[in-house]
Amino acid sequence: MKREVLIYKGFERFWHWTQAFLIMFLAFTGFEIHGVYSFLGYREAVRWHNIAAYMFLGLTVFAIFWHLTTGEWKQYLPTLKNLKAYLEFYLFGIFKNAPHPTKKTVLSKLNPLQKLTYLGLKVVIFPMSVLSGLLFMFYRYPTRHGVDWINIGSLEIVAIVHTVAAFLLITFLIVHLYLITTGHTLFSNLRAMITGYEAIEDEEKQGSDAGTNPPKEVQDA
Ligand code: HEM
């Protein structure tokens, strides 16, 4: 028996989709700044890139606050348990219709590979992108407020770090889009991030969330 359970709460879905849009927009304007194509024109691309960057920073502050106050940050604590099983699943099992090694629950909605990937995104790639982006914006500009003490001499290294982070984000995005389709059905993961609900295996104990979000019963397919 499966039940429809609220996996992604309202703010989480808002944060996810706004962040997805902003990252794609930042990539779009960023690669125009980089000189890959010309669409808005360099000056407009820089202006819109800066606006989107401030929105991304604002959203990130709210998201950090939400994760800390709800305790949802614990979802990202990495674990080695079942990591090998998931590596084998994504490399081989998935092509033979093997079942997912573990079942999703409200208290543990990310598998060990997702935990590692999202943690890496949050503690390595995002900071890399944001810090290099802020250095780009404010390094010695205007000079009297500049972060002279860093004394990096030129913005070249900053530009390289920022561009590498952008490529890493795009790689993540491509893999992420593929993995979205590998849920219980082709669209179950996408649907869950849109409606919040996903049909998951009935559990003896779903934790406190189950009480606040009464599950709707559905027949197992
Ligand atoms: C808060 C986050 C970010 C900030 C503050 C930021 C800021 C900046 C700034 C100030 C520039 C230089 C503009 C100029 O030349 O005047 C830049 C360039 C660029 N940004 Fe961002 N950015 C951020 C996020 C991103 C993201 C998420 C991506 C892509 C996914 C991205 C991709 C790029 C690219 C490709 C360039 C051109 C780099 C070059 O050719 O040197 N940025 N960014």
PDB file of all heavy atoms in Angstrom, residues 140-168:
ATOM      1  N   ARG A 140      37.964  46.116  -5.020  1.00  0.00           N
ATOM      2  CA  ARG A 140      38.546  47.437  -5.306  1.00  0.00           C
ATOM      3  C   ARG A 140      37.598  48.354  -6.066  1.00  0.00           C
ATOM      4  O   ARG A 140      38.018  49.178  -6.877  1.00  0.00           O
ATOM      5  CB  ARG A 140      39.860  47.291  -6.075  1.00  0.00           C
ATOM      6  CG  ARG A 140      40.896  46.662  -5.189  1.00  0.00           C
ATOM      7  CD  ARG A 140      42.223  46.634  -5.823  1.00  0.00           C
ATOM      8  NE  ARG A 140      43.174  46.154  -4.829  1.00  0.00           N
ATOM      9  CZ  ARG A 140      44.406  45.812  -5.095  1.00  0.00           C
ATOM     10  NH1 ARG A 140      44.863  45.914  -6.320  1.00  0.00           N
ATOM     11  NH2 ARG A 140      45.198  45.396  -4.159  1.00  0.00           N
ATOM     12  N   TYR A 141      36.293  48.162  -5.850  1.00  0.00           N
ATOM     13  CA  TYR A 141      35.346  49.056  -6.508  1.00  0.00           C
ATOM     14  C   TYR A 141      34.266  49.462  -5.542  1.00  0.00           C
ATOM     15  O   TYR A 141      33.539  48.595  -5.076  1.00  0.00           O
ATOM     16  CB  TYR A 141      34.700  48.380  -7.717  1.00  0.00           C
ATOM     17  CG  TYR A 141      33.582  49.223  -8.287  1.00  0.00           C
ATOM     18  CD1 TYR A 141      33.879  50.327  -9.079  1.00  0.00           C
ATOM     19  CD2 TYR A 141      32.252  48.936  -7.980  1.00  0.00           C
ATOM     20  CE1 TYR A 141      32.865  51.123  -9.566  1.00  0.00           C
ATOM     21  CE2 TYR A 141      31.235  49.731  -8.459  1.00  0.00           C
ATOM     22  CZ  TYR A 141      31.549  50.816  -9.262  1.00  0.00           C
ATOM     23  OH  TYR A 141      30.535  51.621  -9.734  1.00  0.00           O
ATOM     24  N   PRO A 142      34.069  50.690  -5.159  1.00  0.00           N
ATOM     25  CA  PRO A 142      35.059  51.749  -5.404  1.00  0.00           C
ATOM     26  C   PRO A 142      36.246  51.522  -4.482  1.00  0.00           C
ATOM     27  O   PRO A 142      36.081  50.934  -3.406  1.00  0.00           O
ATOM     28  CB  PRO A 142      34.300  53.027  -5.055  1.00  0.00           C
ATOM     29  CG  PRO A 142      33.166  52.590  -4.190  1.00  0.00           C
ATOM     30  CD  PRO A 142      32.901  51.137  -4.425  1.00  0.00           C
ATOM     31  N   THR A 143      37.385  52.024  -4.856  1.00  0.00           N
ATOM     32  CA  THR A 143      38.635  51.627  -4.212  1.00  0.00           C
ATOM     33  C   THR A 143      38.608  51.789  -2.697  1.00  0.00           C
ATOM     34  O   THR A 143      39.079  50.934  -1.968  1.00  0.00           O
ATOM     35  CB  THR A 143      39.804  52.447  -4.791  1.00  0.00           C
ATOM     36  OG1 THR A 143      39.658  52.430  -6.208  1.00  0.00           O
ATOM     37  CG2 THR A 143      41.128  51.829  -4.411  1.00  0.00           C
ATOM     38  N   ARG A 144      37.983  52.879  -2.228  1.00  0.00           N
ATOM     39  CA  ARG A 144      38.086  53.100  -0.773  1.00  0.00           C
ATOM     40  C   ARG A 144      37.308  52.057   0.029  1.00  0.00           C
ATOM     41  O   ARG A 144      37.566  51.869   1.205  1.00  0.00           O
ATOM     42  CB  ARG A 144      37.666  54.523  -0.403  1.00  0.00           C
ATOM     43  CG  ARG A 144      36.234  54.844  -0.657  1.00  0.00           C
ATOM     44  CD  ARG A 144      36.036  56.352  -0.717  1.00  0.00           C
ATOM     45  NE  ARG A 144      34.790  56.655  -1.378  1.00  0.00           N
ATOM     46  CZ  ARG A 144      33.648  56.826  -0.747  1.00  0.00           C
ATOM     47  NH1 ARG A 144      33.595  56.739   0.547  1.00  0.00           N
ATOM     48  NH2 ARG A 144      32.558  57.086  -1.423  1.00  0.00           N
ATOM     49  N   HIS A 145      36.327  51.358  -0.590  1.00  0.00           N
ATOM     50  CA  HIS A 145      35.643  50.290   0.127  1.00  0.00           C
ATOM     51  C   HIS A 145      36.161  48.926  -0.303  1.00  0.00           C
ATOM     52  O   HIS A 145      35.628  47.911   0.057  1.00  0.00           O
ATOM     53  CB  HIS A 145      34.134  50.333  -0.138  1.00  0.00           C
ATOM     54  CG  HIS A 145      33.494  51.591   0.333  1.00  0.00           C
ATOM     55  ND1 HIS A 145      33.615  52.035   1.629  1.00  0.00           N
ATOM     56  CD2 HIS A 145      32.755  52.514  -0.325  1.00  0.00           C
ATOM     57  CE1 HIS A 145      32.960  53.176   1.752  1.00  0.00           C
ATOM     58  NE2 HIS A 145      32.441  53.500   0.583  1.00  0.00           N
ATOM     59  N   GLY A 146      37.151  48.930  -1.141  1.00  0.00           N
ATOM     60  CA  GLY A 146      37.627  47.676  -1.739  1.00  0.00           C
ATOM     61  C   GLY A 146      38.262  46.750  -0.727  1.00  0.00           C
ATOM     62  O   GLY A 146      38.703  47.168   0.349  1.00  0.00           O
ATOM     63  N   VAL A 147      38.264  45.472  -1.067  1.00  0.00           N
ATOM     64  CA  VAL A 147      38.875  44.508  -0.162  1.00  0.00           C
ATOM     65  C   VAL A 147      40.353  44.376  -0.526  1.00  0.00           C
ATOM     66  O   VAL A 147      40.820  43.323  -0.941  1.00  0.00           O
ATOM     67  CB  VAL A 147      38.143  43.147  -0.213  1.00  0.00           C
ATOM     68  CG1 VAL A 147      37.044  43.075   0.813  1.00  0.00           C
ATOM     69  CG2 VAL A 147      37.567  42.868  -1.593  1.00  0.00           C
ATOM     70  N   ASP A 148      41.092  45.486  -0.347  1.00  0.00           N
ATOM     71  CA  ASP A 148      42.501  45.540  -0.750  1.00  0.00           C
ATOM     72  C   ASP A 148      43.346  44.467  -0.072  1.00  0.00           C
ATOM     73  O   ASP A 148      44.306  43.972  -0.643  1.00  0.00           O
ATOM     74  CB  ASP A 148      43.101  46.905  -0.392  1.00  0.00           C
ATOM     75  CG  ASP A 148      42.541  47.997  -1.297  1.00  0.00           C
ATOM     76  OD1 ASP A 148      41.806  47.639  -2.237  1.00  0.00           O
ATOM     77  OD2 ASP A 148      42.841  49.166  -1.048  1.00  0.00           O
ATOM     78  N   TRP A 149      42.956  44.116   1.185  1.00  0.00           N
ATOM     79  CA  TRP A 149      43.786  43.186   1.935  1.00  0.00           C
ATOM     80  C   TRP A 149      43.897  41.815   1.284  1.00  0.00           C
ATOM     81  O   TRP A 149      44.830  41.075   1.538  1.00  0.00           O
ATOM     82  CB  TRP A 149      43.299  43.049   3.371  1.00  0.00           C
ATOM     83  CG  TRP A 149      41.838  42.685   3.485  1.00  0.00           C
ATOM     84  CD1 TRP A 149      40.784  43.539   3.544  1.00  0.00           C
ATOM     85  CD2 TRP A 149      41.272  41.370   3.511  1.00  0.00           C
ATOM     86  NE1 TRP A 149      39.598  42.838   3.608  1.00  0.00           N
ATOM     87  CE2 TRP A 149      39.871  41.523   3.608  1.00  0.00           C
ATOM     88  CE3 TRP A 149      41.819  40.079   3.487  1.00  0.00           C
ATOM     89  CZ2 TRP A 149      39.017  40.426   3.658  1.00  0.00           C
ATOM     90  CZ3 TRP A 149      40.947  38.992   3.535  1.00  0.00           C
ATOM     91  CH2 TRP A 149      39.581  39.175   3.615  1.00  0.00           C
ATOM     92  N   ILE A 150      42.952  41.493   0.418  1.00  0.00           N
ATOM     93  CA  ILE A 150      43.059  40.192  -0.267  1.00  0.00           C
ATOM     94  C   ILE A 150      44.225  40.242  -1.260  1.00  0.00           C
ATOM     95  O   ILE A 150      44.926  39.267  -1.466  1.00  0.00           O
ATOM     96  CB  ILE A 150      41.749  39.837  -0.996  1.00  0.00           C
ATOM     97  CG1 ILE A 150      40.620  39.745   0.008  1.00  0.00           C
ATOM     98  CG2 ILE A 150      41.878  38.495  -1.718  1.00  0.00           C
ATOM     99  CD1 ILE A 150      39.268  39.511  -0.613  1.00  0.00           C
ATOM    100  N   ASN A 151      44.406  41.422  -1.834  1.00  0.00           N
ATOM    101  CA  ASN A 151      45.561  41.694  -2.693  1.00  0.00           C
ATOM    102  C   ASN A 151      45.810  40.610  -3.735  1.00  0.00           C
ATOM    103  O   ASN A 151      46.894  40.024  -3.789  1.00  0.00           O
ATOM    104  CB  ASN A 151      46.808  41.875  -1.804  1.00  0.00           C
ATOM    105  CG  ASN A 151      47.857  42.710  -2.517  1.00  0.00           C
ATOM    106  OD1 ASN A 151      47.521  43.453  -3.456  1.00  0.00           O
ATOM    107  ND2 ASN A 151      49.097  42.583  -2.116  1.00  0.00           N
ATOM    108  N   ILE A 152      44.801  40.332  -4.523  1.00  0.00           N
ATOM    109  CA  ILE A 152      44.982  39.285  -5.526  1.00  0.00           C
ATOM    110  C   ILE A 152      45.518  39.825  -6.850  1.00  0.00           C
ATOM    111  O   ILE A 152      45.705  39.079  -7.791  1.00  0.00           O
ATOM    112  CB  ILE A 152      43.668  38.507  -5.795  1.00  0.00           C
ATOM    113  CG1 ILE A 152      42.504  39.472  -5.911  1.00  0.00           C
ATOM    114  CG2 ILE A 152      43.439  37.435  -4.759  1.00  0.00           C
ATOM    115  CD1 ILE A 152      41.199  38.822  -6.275  1.00  0.00           C
ATOM    116  N   GLY A 153      45.746  41.143  -6.887  1.00  0.00           N
ATOM    117  CA  GLY A 153      46.428  41.698  -8.062  1.00  0.00           C
ATOM    118  C   GLY A 153      45.513  41.881  -9.262  1.00  0.00           C
ATOM    119  O   GLY A 153      45.369  42.984  -9.759  1.00  0.00           O
ATOM    120  N   SER A 154      44.879  40.814  -9.724  1.00  0.00           N
ATOM    121  CA  SER A 154      43.994  40.988 -10.869  1.00  0.00           C
ATOM    122  C   SER A 154      42.735  40.135 -10.680  1.00  0.00           C
ATOM    123  O   SER A 154      42.698  39.256  -9.824  1.00  0.00           O
ATOM    124  CB  SER A 154      44.695  40.574 -12.156  1.00  0.00           C
ATOM    125  OG  SER A 154      44.440  39.212 -12.416  1.00  0.00           O
ATOM    126  N   LEU A 155      41.751  40.435 -11.505  1.00  0.00           N
ATOM    127  CA  LEU A 155      40.489  39.703 -11.392  1.00  0.00           C
ATOM    128  C   LEU A 155      40.513  38.397 -12.178  1.00  0.00           C
ATOM    129  O   LEU A 155      39.532  37.672 -12.201  1.00  0.00           O
ATOM    130  CB  LEU A 155      39.346  40.582 -11.901  1.00  0.00           C
ATOM    131  CG  LEU A 155      38.739  41.543 -10.875  1.00  0.00           C
ATOM    132  CD1 LEU A 155      37.646  42.378 -11.506  1.00  0.00           C
ATOM    133  CD2 LEU A 155      38.165  40.764  -9.682  1.00  0.00           C
ATOM    134  N   GLU A 156      41.658  38.102 -12.806  1.00  0.00           N
ATOM    135  CA  GLU A 156      41.708  36.932 -13.684  1.00  0.00           C
ATOM    136  C   GLU A 156      41.364  35.644 -12.935  1.00  0.00           C
ATOM    137  O   GLU A 156      40.527  34.859 -13.378  1.00  0.00           O
ATOM    138  CB  GLU A 156      43.095  36.824 -14.297  1.00  0.00           C
ATOM    139  CG  GLU A 156      43.077  35.945 -15.537  1.00  0.00           C
ATOM    140  CD  GLU A 156      44.455  35.787 -16.145  1.00  0.00           C
ATOM    141  OE1 GLU A 156      45.296  36.683 -15.933  1.00  0.00           O
ATOM    142  OE2 GLU A 156      44.679  34.748 -16.790  1.00  0.00           O
ATOM    143  N   ILE A 157      41.992  35.479 -11.766  1.00  0.00           N
ATOM    144  CA  ILE A 157      41.755  34.250 -10.999  1.00  0.00           C
ATOM    145  C   ILE A 157      40.296  34.164 -10.561  1.00  0.00           C
ATOM    146  O   ILE A 157      39.684  33.094 -10.581  1.00  0.00           O
ATOM    147  CB  ILE A 157      42.745  34.155  -9.797  1.00  0.00           C
ATOM    148  CG1 ILE A 157      42.586  32.847  -9.041  1.00  0.00           C
ATOM    149  CG2 ILE A 157      42.613  35.298  -8.826  1.00  0.00           C
ATOM    150  CD1 ILE A 157      43.305  31.723  -9.684  1.00  0.00           C
ATOM    151  N   VAL A 158      39.723  35.340 -10.203  1.00  0.00           N
ATOM    152  CA  VAL A 158      38.309  35.395  -9.795  1.00  0.00           C
ATOM    153  C   VAL A 158      37.418  34.959 -10.963  1.00  0.00           C
ATOM    154  O   VAL A 158      36.491  34.160 -10.799  1.00  0.00           O
ATOM    155  CB  VAL A 158      37.942  36.830  -9.344  1.00  0.00           C
ATOM    156  CG1 VAL A 158      36.451  36.947  -9.073  1.00  0.00           C
ATOM    157  CG2 VAL A 158      38.736  37.219  -8.114  1.00  0.00           C
ATOM    158  N   ALA A 159      37.750  35.483 -12.153  1.00  0.00           N
ATOM    159  CA  ALA A 159      36.956  35.140 -13.342  1.00  0.00           C
ATOM    160  C   ALA A 159      37.037  33.641 -13.619  1.00  0.00           C
ATOM    161  O   ALA A 159      36.029  33.009 -13.960  1.00  0.00           O
ATOM    162  CB  ALA A 159      37.462  35.930 -14.550  1.00  0.00           C
ATOM    163  N   ILE A 160      38.225  33.061 -13.441  1.00  0.00           N
ATOM    164  CA  ILE A 160      38.379  31.620 -13.712  1.00  0.00           C
ATOM    165  C   ILE A 160      37.561  30.808 -12.709  1.00  0.00           C
ATOM    166  O   ILE A 160      36.807  29.905 -13.091  1.00  0.00           O
ATOM    167  CB  ILE A 160      39.877  31.213 -13.676  1.00  0.00           C
ATOM    168  CG1 ILE A 160      40.598  31.848 -14.866  1.00  0.00           C
ATOM    169  CG2 ILE A 160      40.033  29.697 -13.697  1.00  0.00           C
ATOM    170  CD1 ILE A 160      42.104  31.710 -14.838  1.00  0.00           C
ATOM    171  N   VAL A 161      37.681  31.172 -11.416  1.00  0.00           N
ATOM    172  CA  VAL A 161      36.925  30.435 -10.381  1.00  0.00           C
ATOM    173  C   VAL A 161      35.423  30.546 -10.656  1.00  0.00           C
ATOM    174  O   VAL A 161      34.684  29.554 -10.612  1.00  0.00           O
ATOM    175  CB  VAL A 161      37.271  30.978  -8.962  1.00  0.00           C
ATOM    176  CG1 VAL A 161      36.345  30.375  -7.914  1.00  0.00           C
ATOM    177  CG2 VAL A 161      38.732  30.683  -8.626  1.00  0.00           C
ATOM    178  N   HIS A 162      34.966  31.771 -11.001  1.00  0.00           N
ATOM    179  CA  HIS A 162      33.539  32.002 -11.247  1.00  0.00           C
ATOM    180  C   HIS A 162      33.058  31.191 -12.460  1.00  0.00           C
ATOM    181  O   HIS A 162      31.977  30.605 -12.435  1.00  0.00           O
ATOM    182  CB  HIS A 162      33.303  33.493 -11.468  1.00  0.00           C
ATOM    183  CG  HIS A 162      31.888  33.915 -11.269  1.00  0.00           C
ATOM    184  ND1 HIS A 162      31.252  33.880 -10.052  1.00  0.00           N
ATOM    185  CD2 HIS A 162      30.956  34.377 -12.159  1.00  0.00           C
ATOM    186  CE1 HIS A 162      30.018  34.302 -10.193  1.00  0.00           C
ATOM    187  NE2 HIS A 162      29.807  34.610 -11.462  1.00  0.00           N
ATOM    188  N   THR A 163      33.880  31.143 -13.494  1.00  0.00           N
ATOM    189  CA  THR A 163      33.480  30.417 -14.698  1.00  0.00           C
ATOM    190  C   THR A 163      33.503  28.905 -14.457  1.00  0.00           C
ATOM    191  O   THR A 163      32.606  28.183 -14.915  1.00  0.00           O
ATOM    192  CB  THR A 163      34.399  30.800 -15.884  1.00  0.00           C
ATOM    193  OG1 THR A 163      34.413  32.227 -15.991  1.00  0.00           O
ATOM    194  CG2 THR A 163      33.896  30.229 -17.191  1.00  0.00           C
ATOM    195  N   VAL A 164      34.502  28.418 -13.708  1.00  0.00           N
ATOM    196  CA  VAL A 164      34.549  26.982 -13.383  1.00  0.00           C
ATOM    197  C   VAL A 164      33.296  26.607 -12.577  1.00  0.00           C
ATOM    198  O   VAL A 164      32.636  25.597 -12.853  1.00  0.00           O
ATOM    199  CB  VAL A 164      35.840  26.626 -12.599  1.00  0.00           C
ATOM    200  CG1 VAL A 164      35.757  25.228 -12.011  1.00  0.00           C
ATOM    201  CG2 VAL A 164      37.062  26.744 -13.501  1.00  0.00           C
ATOM    202  N   ALA A 165      32.933  27.466 -11.596  1.00  0.00           N
ATOM    203  CA  ALA A 165      31.733  27.204 -10.785  1.00  0.00           C
ATOM    204  C   ALA A 165      30.496  27.166 -11.685  1.00  0.00           C
ATOM    205  O   ALA A 165      29.603  26.330 -11.500  1.00  0.00           O
ATOM    206  CB  ALA A 165      31.579  28.264  -9.703  1.00  0.00           C
ATOM    207  N   ALA A 166      30.459  28.063 -12.685  1.00  0.00           N
ATOM    208  CA  ALA A 166      29.313  28.091 -13.602  1.00  0.00           C
ATOM    209  C   ALA A 166      29.232  26.780 -14.388  1.00  0.00           C
ATOM    210  O   ALA A 166      28.150  26.205 -14.546  1.00  0.00           O
ATOM    211  CB  ALA A 166      29.428  29.279 -14.554  1.00  0.00           C
ATOM    212  N   PHE A 167      30.379  26.271 -14.859  1.00  0.00           N
ATOM    213  CA  PHE A 167      30.376  24.998 -15.598  1.00  0.00           C
ATOM    214  C   PHE A 167      29.949  23.841 -14.684  1.00  0.00           C
ATOM    215  O   PHE A 167      29.215  22.947 -15.103  1.00  0.00           O
ATOM    216  CB  PHE A 167      31.752  24.715 -16.204  1.00  0.00           C
ATOM    217  CG  PHE A 167      31.935  25.380 -17.556  1.00  0.00           C
ATOM    218  CD1 PHE A 167      32.801  26.440 -17.725  1.00  0.00           C
ATOM    219  CD2 PHE A 167      31.209  24.938 -18.656  1.00  0.00           C
ATOM    220  CE1 PHE A 167      32.950  27.059 -18.959  1.00  0.00           C
ATOM    221  CE2 PHE A 167      31.350  25.539 -19.897  1.00  0.00           C
ATOM    222  CZ  PHE A 167      32.220  26.613 -20.060  1.00  0.00           C
ATOM    223  N   LEU A 168      30.413  23.873 -13.424  1.00  0.00           N
ATOM    224  CA  LEU A 168      30.024  22.816 -12.484  1.00  0.00           C
ATOM    225  C   LEU A 168      28.518  22.849 -12.249  1.00  0.00           C
ATOM    226  O   LEU A 168      27.853  21.814 -12.189  1.00  0.00           O
ATOM    227  CB  LEU A 168      30.781  22.979 -11.154  1.00  0.00           C
ATOM    228  CG  LEU A 168      32.277  22.658 -11.197  1.00  0.00           C
ATOM    229  CD1 LEU A 168      32.948  22.990  -9.869  1.00  0.00           C
ATOM    230  CD2 LEU A 168      32.496  21.179 -11.532  1.00  0.00           C
TER     231      LEU A 168
END
